[in-house]
Amino acid sequence: MTTQTRFPAASYVSTVSAGALFAFGAWVAFSGLLDTILSCRGDIVYLAGQHFVLVPYQSAIAVAIGLPLGIALTRKPLACHADAITLVINLGTTIPTLLFWLSRCRLSESGRRPPCSA
């Protein structure tokens, strides 16, 4: 019969996690955030539906491009250029996010920066 040992900190981590989850739930309930979320229920359901429709398409496109490219980068002709190609692809995924945040956080005409919010 084998006895499994647990990490000594595992019980503390689970206790702290449960406490943090409870505190977050209490904050959501008492801050009025839950009421705000429930008042926007129709929008949330509509946008969640759009999300569930778009994600499979975007995932299929990513796999259709990424899988052959990843295989090609491991083969002899492109293997020596794999690092450079990977850097370019990573920039291609980073730049749109940076442009989004820059457009959200641009300087106003008075020179003061508005708060950045999503």
Side-chain angles (χ1 to χ4, degrees):
M1 183 174 195
T2 318
T3 310
Q4 291 181 345
T5 59
R6 292 183 67 185
F7 293 109
S11 62
Y12 298 119
V13 170
S14 62
T15 302
V16 169
S17 298
L21 186 61
F22 177 78
F24 178 72
W27 174 77
V28 167
F30 292 120
S31 69
L33 182 61
L34 186 60
D35 296 330
T36 304
I37 291 171
L38 291 176
S39 70
C40 298
R41 185 175 169 198
D43 290 338
I44 292 171
V45 169
Y46 174 74
L47 293 172
Q50 279 188 334
H51 175 75
F52 289 130
V53 167
L54 291 174
V55 166
Y57 289 117
Q58 115 183 11
S59 297
I61 291 169
V63 168
I65 294 171
L67 191 62
L69 184 61
I71 292 170
L73 289 177
T74 61
R75 301 298 186 247
K76 194 79 165 162
L78 290 178
C80 59
H81 304 293
D83 289 338
I85 293 171
T86 304
L87 282 172
V88 170
I89 291 170
N90 285 339
L91 281 175
T93 59
T94 304
I95 289 173
T97 305
L98 289 175
L99 292 176
F100 169 77
W101 284 110
L102 285 175
S103 71
R104 301 287 294 172
C105 302
R106 66 180 180 265
L107 293 175
S108 66
E109 295 167 335
S110 66
R112 291 183 17 217
R113 217 171 104 180
C116 296
S117 60

